[in-house]
Amino acid sequence: MKLPPFALLLAALCLACWPVLRWFVAGTLDGSNDCAGLLAAAAAAIIVLAPAREALARPLVLPCACLAVYLAATACQVPAPARSPLLALAITALASSLRLGKRFDVALFTLCILALPLSATLQFYLGYPLRVLAGDLSAFLLRMNGIAVAREGAMLAWQGQLVSIDAPCSGVKMLWAGLLLAGALAGAVRLSSLRTAVALMLAIAAVVAANAIRAAALFYMEAGIVHLPASAHEAIGVVSFAAAGAGILFMTHRMERRAA
């Protein structure tokens, strides 16, 4: 059976960028990163394989430009991780024009970026700043409740005690999951690029707020103010993300109704 033009072009694009695909497979399976990126890849594939809309009658300028930049980066010996966003950009532009009836689909690009095996890198670069941000916000919430808490680095100081906001509580994974949810929902309901960008920004705000509330709630346990079983630690995290996810779902639904 003859393959459709999109499948041929996608296969040719992937063949031209095979070093990045090799890095993607190795990085996903080598244990240094988790395999959660495959969820984003599956969501992107579902959006692309959904019934196609009318293709745009314009040259594929953006995919070709991305491929040209990729080849130039390869010639300059730029590492594969740094070239991977170019492949994600090219795949998004190609699928947007031939499958989604758009110039560029922001939701699909978000999912392609989230599929990259960069969780360890994100944790390294964003972990501490997010812990500091969570500390500032949670200290503000605790002071509103009458507890004189001060942030010291990535810890909360109170009455001679230091309560650490450890790496798992940085919110990097929660932020990744929130963006995955927002991107998948925006792609599923075909939001415009502008509305998708707004939905992603609101998702970031919702996750940051949820993580701050989680850090504030856990402070009561770690400081010995409230005595709860150890299982409550994970339960608080699940409830916090569930609240953020519900907010993302509600915001996306409202945007879909306004667009309709």
Side-chain angles (χ1 to χ4, degrees), residues 45-64:
I46 291 173
I47 292 174
V48 171
L49 296 177
R53 294 189 174 186
E54 183 180 356
L56 297 178
R58 61 168 57 89
L60 300 177
V61 177
L62 184 55
C64 293

Side-chain angles (χ1 to χ4, degrees), residues 8 76 94 171 176 188 192 203:
L8 289 173
C76 295
L94 184 66
W176 183 93
S192 66

Side-chain angles (χ1 to χ4, degrees), residues 132-148:
V132 171
L133 178 59
D136 282 328
L137 295 176
S138 60
F140 173 74
L141 294 174
L142 291 168
R143 285 195 294 267
M144 288 181 61
N145 202 32
I147 301 177

Side-chain angles (χ1 to χ4, degrees), residues 159-184:
Q159 293 185 352
Q161 300 184 62
L162 288 176
V163 177
S164 176
I165 302 175
D166 55 10
C169 293
S170 63
V172 172
K173 291 185 177 181
M174 185 184 291
L175 181 61
W176 183 93
L179 290 174
L180 172 64
L181 178 60

